Structure formats: structure tokens, C-alpha cells
Amino acid sequence: MTSDQKHSWSDIRELIHSRILDATYRPGDKLPRDEDLALELGCARTTVHRAMRSLAESGIVERRRKGGTIVCTDPVTRTRLDIPVTRLEVEMSGAVYAYHMVDCRHLLAPGSVTAVMGLVEREVMLNIKALHLSDGKPFIYEDRWISLETVPEILKVDLKRQNANEWLVRNRPYNRCSVQLYAEAALGEIAEQMLVAPGSALLHIERTTWLNDAPITHVRATTAPGYRLSTTS
Amino acid sequence: MTSDQKHSWSDIRELIHSRILDATYRPGDKLPRDEDLALELGCARTTVHRAMRSLAESGIVERRRKGGTIVCTDPVTRTRLDIPVTRLEVEMSGAVYAYHMVDCRHLLAPGSVTAVMGLVEREVMLNIKALHLSDGKPFIYEDRWISLETVPEILKVDLKRQNANEWLVRNRPYNRCSVQLYAEAALGEIAEQMLVAPGSALLHIERTTWLNDAPITHVRATTAPGYRLSTTS
DNA sequence: AAGTGGTCTAGACCACCTC
DNA sequence: AGGTGGTCTAGACCACTTG
């Protein structure tokens, strides 16, 4: 009676997914218990669990103890976004990478920055403005704030030669990260640095990183016209 | 000798992660074999494996059979991006949602669209232009192409009343999805529909979905000024 | 060819949450 | 309070890939 058994969790994931796709299980429906599915499919419960966890991570089903497994209604589009290190991104495209520090000073960080970092009070941080170049042309302009509380060693680094992000990434790994994406017209200073007409539409990527609730850095990256972020899955 | 045992995979994940954070294991280093770590930590190899897989999914280590586990050099910023269904996004913000179909016709899809979809030849598709409103104000303008090869039933749906995306999402789940993000100035038609000054910088979200290599739909969503996409983790 | 991670099993116990 | 998913174990075998 039971069709021939598929014992691998990815096969089982596909099987269950296909039942969702062909509406055997509809959005909002409750799926059989892991144990029953294991019995039906002729595999261990652990294997069904592995498949289910994968479906849950993809946002296709929702699982609750005692509540069972439910097919998600109102599915979101869930993708993975990888933001590469700029130098590598440029070099991978076959272009020559260069880094140019525009400005570097101690400043009282604006409230917008300290708020995002989760700090109650404003404090003096290291502010770095720098340009990443691809074949000599402006590629990304970054405005970065580094917490001197969390990363005092940064003052010993020669940031005119050493890209701040790469130093941080190698010496100050982070725990938690928040990213925001938006479009904004190029303002005076940015338009100047990026060599674009004022008002040009540019994609901005803001990132904040922490190590166990201690903020490390906040950076606003302004990308060149036409820049695209792609995700897969 | 062995410190007191932590038996849960998340504890072990944290422990190994902390060794990476404090440079016990440095970028490029090879970690001990799963079995040795299990021995050291006093747990089953499966448990170490579970922790390692989590670290690998986060892009912190790289694992290869026979090659062992290596701490990633040049880490990328990896985040999860969830794009909600527009109606829910509006309603969650406490505003009133409305949908207005602007245009709907059979058209030969442009090469840029069919190419992204992975089609060799251009074909006639259903093209829908629509506006999502939040409290009566333009929120997202979408330009959508729906494959009539894959989804012929769409012709029976009353798309003036029924939001195309929501119908698709409920009746034509997808397998694969590709997303692109970029900034672009509002052109004539878009500026008109969105009620913004021509040239305004707007965030664009392009999505293509497939079911087993059969393209379902391609949509370019133009968001209102100030729109932000956030990711967590 | 051999060593490493990847997976499967069977069973047990735990933790959470709904009923 | 009981049922469901979540996890851990111990052992076995498999699959990939590199030395």
C-alpha cells in the first residue's frame, strides 16, 4: 500500500512541499503529526522533523508544540541577502579596487546614530568618511561611526591605508546585525564625492553591528547609480 | 579537567562562536573534528553537528567532507529579508488599505522580462499595472507580468476586485524566487501615479517567482518616497 | 584510499502550549 | 493535563573530497 519509501529528509521535504503546492494541504490546514507522517512514509520521526524544520525555516509552515504544524497563510517572500565586503565585490567584477579616506575625526554622534545603536546617551565616536573606487570611479561612499567604548583599539590603526570595515571584520567580529535599505537623492556632499548630478536616485544600505549588545559600528553606504542588490533562494 | 558539560546544541554553538570571537580560532583556521569536539565537550557528535550546521548557515564557518571545518575569511553580512504581502503591511501599520487596478492587457512581454524568467522566446503575457494605497495615498505601484503558459486560470479571476498578488499567493505557490533591489528616479508614468515630483528617488523591488522552472510572475514594485526595507538577525 | 562531515535510526526524555 | 514538537544519545552507514 505505502508507495516505495524515500528515506532522505530532502525527499520528504519535497514530498510534503508538493502536497502543499497541489493543495492537498491548504493554507491554514493542520498537517499530520510528525509521528504519523513517519509511519506513513516509512522513516524515522527524526527524519520527518528534519524536513519540517527546513520547511519552517523557509516560512512555508509554522510549528508549535502541542499546536501541531500548520501551512502558513499569508506567506511572506523570504530570501537571504548577502552583502559582500566591498573590496571583494569590486575585484570579483574584474575591476581594480581602491580605498580613499575622505575624513576622520572624533565627533559627538548624532542622536539618530546612537538611537539605532541602542544607546541611551549620545557619546563621542570615531566618524570616518571614505570612498570605495572601482577602476578609479566612485563605487560606494561610506559614512561610518565607530564606538570607542567598544573598539578603543581602532585608534591605533592607520585608517588612511587600512579600510576600516576590513579591519573591523577581521578583528572585531559581530554577533548581531541590523540592515536597512532605502532610496535617497544624492545631497550636496554625496553628489560631489560620487561625481553624480545632485538629486540622482541612489540606493543606501545602512548597517549596524553589535557584539553582545555592545555597539561596534554603524555605517551608511551610498551606492553608485545603477547599483543592485540581488538575493537568491 | 573538562569543564562542566553543556549538552544543548545552542550552548555549544555559542561556545564555538565565542572561541571564534575571541580569536581562539582565527579566520582560515581549521577547527577540531566534530568527534573530537564532542569528546571534549562531553556530548554526542550529532549535537556538535547541529551546532556546526547552524554556524555554517550563518556563514561563520565553512564545512567540507574530508576537508574539515574552517573559520570563514572575508565574511559577508548575511541577513534574512522578509517582504510582506502589501495589504498586510499597510494594515499592520494601522492604515486603511486599498487596491486600484490601473491597467490590464495582453501584451508581448519585453525581452528584459522574459530573460529574467529564463525563457528563450518572448511570449504574450498578462500585464497588470496597479496601485496599492495606504490611507488613500499611493504606497506601492506595481507593474506585473503573469505567464499565461503557467497560470492560464488567471483569466477567470476578476482582477479589478481581487489583488493579483494575493490570488497568486493563495492559488499558485512558488518554488523558487529571485529578488532585486535598486533605486531609480520616478519616470513620467510612475511619478504621475505615485503623485511625486518627477525625478524623486524611489526604492524598487523586483521579484520573479517560479514553480519548478515554470515562470509564474515577474513584478516590479515601486515604493513610495521614504520606504525602507529592514532585515533582522 | 582514507578521513571527514552528512544522514538515518530507534528510543528516550524534555519543554512548551493549547485544549 | 496531556499532546505535540524539540532535542539528545549511540551507533551505523553513506558520500564526498582531498591528500
Side-chain angles (χ1 to χ4, degrees):
Chain A
M1 213 50 102
T2 357
S3 58
D4 247 336
Q5 305 163 356
K6 300 273 188 169
H7 287 287
S8 96
W9 69 265
S10 55
D11 285 342
I12 288 174
R13 188 205 133 109
E14 260 191 59
L15 177 67
I16 296 172
H17 193 182
S18 74
R19 286 186 183 176
I20 294 172
L21 294 179
D22 72 12
T24 303
Y25 306 135
R26 293 164 179 280
D29 282 1
K30 188 151 140 187
L31 271 63
R33 305 159 49 215
D34 289 7
E35 199 172 340
D36 291 342
L37 277 170
L39 217 61
E40 181 203 340
L41 304 175
C43 66
R45 181 165 80 92
T46 322
T47 308
V48 173
H49 176 73
R50 180 73 181 81
M52 286 298 198
R53 192 158 50 74
S54 173
L55 288 170
E57 278 169 3
S58 302
I60 294 169
V61 301
E62 194 177 331
R63 282 160 77 76
R64 264 184 227 163
R65 285 162 153 145
K66 165 97 180 179
T69 304
I70 300 175
V71 181
C72 286
T73 45
D74 306 312
V76 296
T77 299
R78 177 168 296 177
T79 60
R80 208 183 62 186
L81 183 62
D82 283 345
I83 304 174
V85 173
T86 306
R87 181 176 58 75
L88 291 179
E89 186 180 8
V90 169
E91 289 173 354
M92 295 280 266
S93 77
V96 174
Y97 172 78
Y99 174 78
H100 172 59
M101 204 190 70
V102 175
D103 197 14
C104 176
R105 36 179 104 181
H106 288 67
L107 286 177
L108 188 62
S112 58
V113 170
T114 51
V116 174
M117 284 181 164
L119 299 174
V120 188
E121 297 188 0
R122 295 176 59 188
E123 56 183 61
V124 173
M125 296 191 182
L126 195 63
N127 176 229
I128 298 172
K129 295 180 178 173
L131 207 51
H132 301 262
L133 303 152
S134 171
D135 275 345
K137 288 177 291 190
F139 185 68
I140 284 183
Y141 176 73
E142 70 171 51
D143 184 348
R144 179 185 294 274
W145 296 86
I146 302 175
S147 162
L148 294 172
E149 286 289 327
T150 315
V151 202
E153 323 90 275
I154 191 74
L155 294 176
K156 294 178 189 160
V157 181
D158 180 3
L159 293 169
K160 288 200 178 152
R161 300 175 178 274
Q162 172 95 46
N163 174 325
N165 184 40
E166 292 190 36
W167 186 90
L168 285 169
V169 130
R170 282 188 213 289
N171 299 278
R172 275 290 164 151
Y174 57 85
N175 241 351
R176 185 156 59 94
C177 174
S178 149
V179 176
Q180 291 213 322
L181 307 165
Y182 57 92
E184 207 171 85
L187 305 175
E189 180 193 2
I190 290 179
E192 227 171 84
Q193 293 288 342
M194 295 297 286
L195 304 178
V196 298
S200 300
L202 301 181
L203 179 67
H204 287 69
I205 306 171
E206 279 193 21
R207 248 179 302 181
T208 312
T209 57
W210 293 264
L211 179 61
N212 299 329
D213 295 340
I216 298 175
T217 188
H218 171 82
V219 57
R220 185 194 61 200
T222 303
T223 65
Y227 187 91
R228 282 175 172 244
L229 271 179
S230 301
T231 78
T232 47
S233 169
Chain B
M1 214 48 105
T2 357
S3 58
D4 246 336
Q5 304 164 357
K6 301 271 191 170
H7 288 286
S8 97
W9 70 264
S10 55
D11 284 343
I12 289 175
R13 187 205 133 109
E14 260 191 60
L15 177 68
I16 296 173
H17 194 183
S18 74
R19 287 187 183 174
I20 293 172
L21 293 179
D22 72 12
T24 304
Y25 306 134
R26 293 164 178 281
D29 281 2
K30 187 151 140 187
L31 272 63
R33 306 159 47 216
D34 289 8
E35 199 172 340
D36 290 343
L37 278 170
L39 216 63
E40 180 202 341
L41 304 175
C43 66
R45 180 164 80 90
T46 321
T47 307
V48 172
H49 177 72
R50 180 73 182 79
M52 286 299 198
R53 190 158 52 75
S54 173
L55 288 169
E57 277 169 4
S58 302
I60 293 168
V61 302
E62 195 176 328
R63 282 160 77 74
R64 264 184 227 164
R65 284 163 155 144
K66 165 97 182 182
T69 305
I70 300 174
V71 181
C72 285
T73 46
D74 305 313
V76 296
T77 299
R78 176 168 298 177
T79 61
R80 207 183 64 187
L81 183 61
D82 282 346
I83 304 174
V85 174
T86 306
R87 180 176 57 77
L88 290 179
E89 187 179 9
V90 169
E91 289 173 354
M92 294 281 265
S93 77
V96 174
Y97 172 79
Y99 174 77
H100 172 60
M101 203 189 71
V102 174
D103 197 12
C104 175
R105 35 179 107 183
H106 287 67
L107 285 177
L108 188 62
S112 59
V113 170
T114 51
V116 174
M117 285 182 164
L119 299 174
V120 188
E121 297 188 0
R122 295 175 60 189
E123 56 184 58
V124 173
M125 297 191 182
L126 194 64
N127 177 228
I128 298 172
K129 295 180 178 172
L131 207 52
H132 301 262
L133 303 152
S134 171
D135 274 346
K137 288 177 289 189
F139 185 67
I140 284 183
Y141 176 73
E142 72 171 49
D143 184 349
R144 179 186 294 276
W145 296 86
I146 302 176
S147 163
L148 294 173
E149 285 289 326
T150 314
V151 202
E153 324 90 274
I154 191 75
L155 294 176
K156 295 177 190 162
V157 181
D158 180 4
L159 293 169
K160 287 199 178 152
R161 298 175 178 272
Q162 171 94 47
N163 174 323
N165 184 40
E166 291 190 36
W167 186 89
L168 285 169
V169 130
R170 283 188 213 290
N171 298 279
R172 274 290 164 151
Y174 57 86
N175 241 351
R176 186 156 59 94
C177 174
S178 149
V179 176
Q180 291 214 323
L181 307 165
Y182 57 92
E184 207 171 84
L187 305 176
E189 181 192 1
I190 291 179
E192 228 170 84
Q193 293 289 342
M194 295 296 285
L195 304 178
V196 299
S200 300
L202 301 181
L203 179 67
H204 287 69
I205 307 171
E206 279 192 20
R207 248 179 302 180
T208 312
T209 56
W210 293 264
L211 178 61
N212 299 328
D213 296 341
I216 298 175
T217 188
H218 171 82
V219 57
R220 186 194 61 201
T222 304
T223 66
Y227 187 92
R228 283 175 171 244
L229 270 179
S230 300
T231 77
T232 47
S233 172

